[in-house]
Amino acid sequence: AAARYAILATGCVLLALWRRSLNGESPAEFARRQNMAIWHPHPLWRACSIVWVWMEYIWVCFFPTALSCDWSWPAITTIDNSSDVRAWLVAAYLLGWGWLLQRNLLQRTSVGASVCFLFAICPFFLASNVLVGVGTCKAERVLYLPSLGACMALALLLRRLDADELLAELRP
């Protein structure tokens, strides 16, 4: 198993180096309107605006109603002060995730839930504006693999429900 991981890691590093050679040494150039959240002058409201976009991504994973290949300003505006209700929703969201992680991952780890969580988070992390600012505010194309993690989590949840009760409710 260790040899396979080493081969995979080596392949990833080689792909990254090849991609860097294609990009050259110049930094990426972004238009401000492509991702207003990363340009917000206040660090707290920048972070809140970025987390708000994450919340919209989660919403789209479970309720894909209004989709677009690429969102930009003014479709998603930034959070600029504490009177914006989204700031309070972001705070509740972060507290909820903190409680959920503490309760489920630190106290009693479920391998299936951990796999679903990692499958949803790891691919999304690259386009999350955490490591580097990306050239899009929100784009459903970055949700292909994370949405698979969300589907696996839903399947895990349904599996944990009593199948007989669920089927009894669905029968006419």
Side-chain angles (χ1 to χ4, degrees):
R4 287 185 289 183
Y5 292 137
I7 291 170
L8 182 61
T10 303
C12 287
V13 168
L14 289 173
L15 280 172
L17 291 172
W18 173 69
R19 182 63 191 173
R20 182 165 172 84
S21 72
L22 292 177
N23 290 347
E25 296 300 319
S26 63
E29 295 180 21
F30 300 118
R32 282 187 170 276
R33 291 183 179 233
Q34 289 175 325
N35 190 351
M36 293 293 286
I38 63 172
W39 300 108
H40 201 291
H42 193 280
L44 174 64
W45 304 127
R46 179 184 321 123
C48 284
S49 297
I50 290 170
V51 172
W52 177 255
V53 173
W54 298 352
M55 291 170 65
E56 292 211 7
Y57 275 124
I58 289 175
W59 181 262
V60 166
C61 275
F62 292 103
F63 303 102
T65 53
L67 301 176
S68 173
C69 61
D70 203 359
W71 298 79
S72 60
W73 184 86
I76 299 175
T77 58
T78 57
I79 298 173
D80 295 319
N81 55 50
S82 61
S83 64
D84 190 334
V85 71
R86 296 176 300 164
W88 297 102
L89 292 172
V90 164
Y93 170 80
L94 292 174
L95 287 172
W97 269 107
W99 174 80
L100 188 67
L101 291 174
Q102 186 272 336
R103 184 172 181 269
N104 292 312
L105 290 181
L106 299 178
Q107 290 182 356
R108 53 190 157 114
T109 303
S110 163
V111 174
S114 297
V115 167
C116 295
F117 180 76
L118 291 174
F119 207 96
I121 295 299
C122 289
F124 177 71
F125 189 68
L126 298 173
S128 67
N129 287 312
V130 172
L131 295 175
V132 294
V134 294
T136 183
C137 180
K138 177 182 163 192
E140 280 81 13
R141 65 180 177 268
V142 302
L143 287 181
Y144 294 143
L145 288 176
S147 65
L148 186 57
C151 289
M152 291 180 348
L154 186 59
L156 186 65
L157 177 67
L158 290 174
R159 186 175 137 218
R160 287 190 178 188
L161 294 174
D162 188 4
D164 292 333
E165 286 182 31
L166 184 62
L167 289 174
E169 290 178 19
L170 294 176
R171 288 187 191 125

